């Protein structure tokens, strides 16, 4: 069981570093004064799921779920 704990700990560290990198790669959500005039409704704003920003958001959600599951497993002291 000690080997499984080591594997989970290594996975936890990799996910933590990856999650930090993905969050830092994302752009800020503030659109400035463009929100008032409607300039934020561009082609990339409407097709956000296909853009790099949309993929980064999706990967962030997946990494958060993996992070939480591994953190809970490590905290249960079953291994």
């Amino acid at each position: 069981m000690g080997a499984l704990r080591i594997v989970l700990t290594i996975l936890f560290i990799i996910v933590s570093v990856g999650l930090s990198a993905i969050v830092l790669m994302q752009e800020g959500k503030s659109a400035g004064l463009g929100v008032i005039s409607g300039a934020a409704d561009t082609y990339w704003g409407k097709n956000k799921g296909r853009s790099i920003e949309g993929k980064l958001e999706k990967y962030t959600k997946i990494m958060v779920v993996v992070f939480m599951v591994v953190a809970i497993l490590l905290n249960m002291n079953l291994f």
Side-chain angles (χ1 to χ4, degrees), residues 23-60:
V23 168
L24 288 174
M25 287 173 30
Q26 293 180 6
E27 291 181 11
K29 296 293 179 187
S30 62
L33 295 176
V35 174
I36 297 171
S37 64
D41 288 335
T42 62
Y43 175 76
W44 297 112
K46 294 178 184 176
N47 293 321
K48 194 170 189 178
R50 297 181 187 172
S51 68
I52 295 173
E53 287 297 316
K55 290 179 184 175
L56 286 175
E57 285 184 23
K58 183 175 80 171
Y59 295 148
T60 302

